[in-house]
Amino acid sequence: MTKEPARQALATALAAEPTGLDNFVIRGDALADSELTRFDLVDGMASDVVGDVRRFAEALTGRQFLDYDPSYQTNSSQVLVEKLGDIPELSTVDAAIRRGDVPNDAGGRTVVAMAHAVGTGANRIVAYRLKGPGIATRRARGITLVPRDGVYRPIEGDVLFYEPRFDVLTRGEFAYFTTVTLIQTKLQAPDKARQLARDTLAAVTAKIRIDGFAELEQAVMDDPSMRAKMASVARLLQSDPDYAKNLTTKKLVAFVESYPDYDIPIATIDGKKALRFDASPQHRHQIPRLLADDYLHSYLTDRNYEAGSKQRVRT
C-alpha cells in the first residue's frame, strides 16, 4: 500500500513551502532515449510557475488517494499513486533532474516533455507535462515573427508553450497522476496492465474451451486496447460476481451460433465445440468483446449492435 505514505510525503513537501524553480526540456522520440536540458524563466513568470506547481500539488492532496490499478476508472475527485521505481523511463529522467548538473537547452530534437522542479532536497516536487498540444511545435505552415528594433524577424526551430497543466507529479519515491492510462501510454510502463490482463483472461476463460488460447493470451497482453477490454471485464466481475456464471463454453457457443452476424468462429477440440481465436487484425478483438458482453439488442428497431459502452438497466 503506497497511498497513505504518498499522501504524507506530498503534504510534508507542501508544508515546507517550497520555493525556487528549475525548468527542464526533455527531447527525443520518447522518454527512453531522451536528452535532458534546462532553461530559465524571467522572474515574474518563474514566480507564476512556482505557484502553478504548488496549486496543482495542493489540489491533489484534497483528493482521494488510490494505489494505481489499471482496472480503475477514476473520477475528478481521485488521484492515483505509483512507486516511481515501477515507471522506469520516468524514474530515470526524474533522477537526472534531482541530481542536477544538466546542460542548458539549445534546441535540437523534438520535445517529448517539459518539467518544472520546485523546492530543494527531499521536499522537491517535480511536475511534468508530456508531449501534446501546447508544449512545442515545429511549424509546417506559417511563420512566427517577433519585433527587434522595428524589424520583424522569423523564429526558427522549436517554440515552447507553457500551460499551467501537468500530467504527473513526483516527490521522493512516488508518482502522482489522475489518468489511469497515462502509465501504459505516455510513460510506457504497461507491466501491471499486462499482468492484470493475463490474470483476468485466465479467470474468465477457466470454463471456456478456446482454440488458439496461447495466441489470444499473447495478443491480450501486447495490445493496449485488448488490455483495456480485460480491465473492463475485471471491473464487471468485481461489481457483479454472478456475471461469471455466463462465461461457459456452452453458453458462449450457443450465443455465437444464435447470432452469426457477429462472425465469431467456432472450432472443435477433442470432438467438442470451442471458440476459435482469429489473430487477424479485423477479428482479434472478437473473443475479448464476447467476454465483455459487448452487444445490445434494440427493442425499438429490433436490431442487434456491438457496443463497448453501456449501462445496465435494473428493474
Side-chain angles (χ1 to χ4, degrees):
M1 299 290 287
T2 60
K3 60 183 181 180
E4 288 310 316
R7 179 192 293 278
Q8 185 58 50
L10 190 55
T12 299
L14 288 169
E17 298 185 355
T19 58
L21 175 70
D22 288 304
N23 307 283
F24 302 89
V25 174
I26 299 124
R27 295 181 178 274
D29 296 326
L31 289 180
D33 68 343
S34 62
E35 176 186 11
L36 179 68
T37 58
R38 67 178 304 279
F39 65 94
D40 291 320
L41 295 170
V42 295
D43 290 345
M45 185 172 182
S47 178
D48 290 341
V49 174
V50 170
D52 291 337
V53 172
R54 289 178 59 170
R55 280 188 291 273
F56 176 66
E58 288 165 357
L60 293 182
T61 61
R63 300 183 183 188
Q64 178 188 10
F65 277 48
L66 299 172
D67 290 319
Y68 166 63
D69 185 316
S71 70
Y72 286 165
Q73 286 183 311
T74 55
N75 58 46
S76 59
S77 66
Q78 297 171 324
V79 56
L80 295 168
V81 180
E82 178 65 305
K83 288 187 175 180
L84 189 55
D86 290 337
I87 316 175
E89 294 181 9
L90 180 63
S91 178
T92 298
V93 172
D94 200 74
I97 287 175
R98 294 176 187 278
R99 283 196 304 269
D101 193 23
V102 175
N104 290 331
D105 185 59
R109 302 167 70 189
T110 301
V111 176
V112 69
M114 291 171 62
H116 308 278
V118 175
T120 59
N123 289 321
R124 202 176 200 197
I125 294 171
V126 184
Y128 295 84
R129 190 166 79 258
L130 304 175
K131 187 175 183 179
I135 188 167
T137 180
R138 290 182 181 274
R139 295 164 303 288
R141 295 187 298 273
I143 299 174
T144 301
L145 304 175
V146 294
R148 291 290 186 272
D149 298 325
V151 178
Y152 280 78
R153 302 178 186 276
I155 295 178
E156 299 178 352
D158 288 341
V159 175
L160 298 181
F161 292 90
Y162 172 76
E163 292 182 23
R165 174 185 61 80
F166 310 107
D167 297 300
V168 58
L169 181 146
T170 63
R171 192 281 186 183
E173 63 178 307
F174 303 110
Y176 309 77
F177 51 99
T178 58
T179 305
V180 72
T181 58
L182 177 79
I183 284 184
Q184 299 179 53
T185 54
K186 293 185 176 181
L187 297 180
Q188 302 299 313
D191 288 353
K192 281 194 177 181
R194 286 168 58 88
Q195 189 60 49
L196 173 68
R198 171 184 245 167
D199 292 346
T200 302
L201 181 66
V204 301
T205 59
K207 299 179 181 179
I208 304 171
R209 288 187 298 276
I210 299 176
D211 181 21
F213 179 83
E215 292 81 2
L216 171 62
E217 181 182 57
Q218 192 62 50
V220 163
M221 292 178 64
D222 291 343
D223 186 321
S225 65
M226 295 175 80
R227 291 200 300 265
K229 184 59 63 179
M230 285 297 101
S232 174
V233 175
R235 289 192 296 270
L236 189 56
L237 292 172
Q238 186 177 31
S239 64
D240 184 4
D242 288 339
Y243 181 83
K245 296 177 182 178
N246 298 288
L247 301 180
T248 65
T249 302
K250 182 178 180 180
K251 294 199 71 168
L252 294 180
V253 167
F255 174 84
V256 169
E257 291 180 330
S258 298
Y259 299 95
D261 289 346
Y262 291 131
D263 192 27
I264 301 173
I266 294 176
T268 300
I269 298 177
D270 297 330
K272 298 179 180 180
K273 290 182 179 181
L275 301 177
R276 181 168 65 82
F277 173 62
D278 184 342
S280 63
Q282 64 269 37
H283 293 110
R284 66 204 316 258
H285 298 273
Q286 289 171 317
I287 290 179
R289 286 174 180 162
L290 179 62
L291 297 174
D293 191 25
D294 279 354
Y295 310 102
L296 287 176
H297 175 79
S298 170
Y299 294 103
L300 177 64
T301 61
D302 194 29
R303 286 171 169 79
N304 296 321
Y305 299 94
E306 286 189 357
S309 178
K310 53 194 177 293
Q311 182 173 343
R312 184 179 178 185
V313 177
R314 297 181 183 274
T315 58

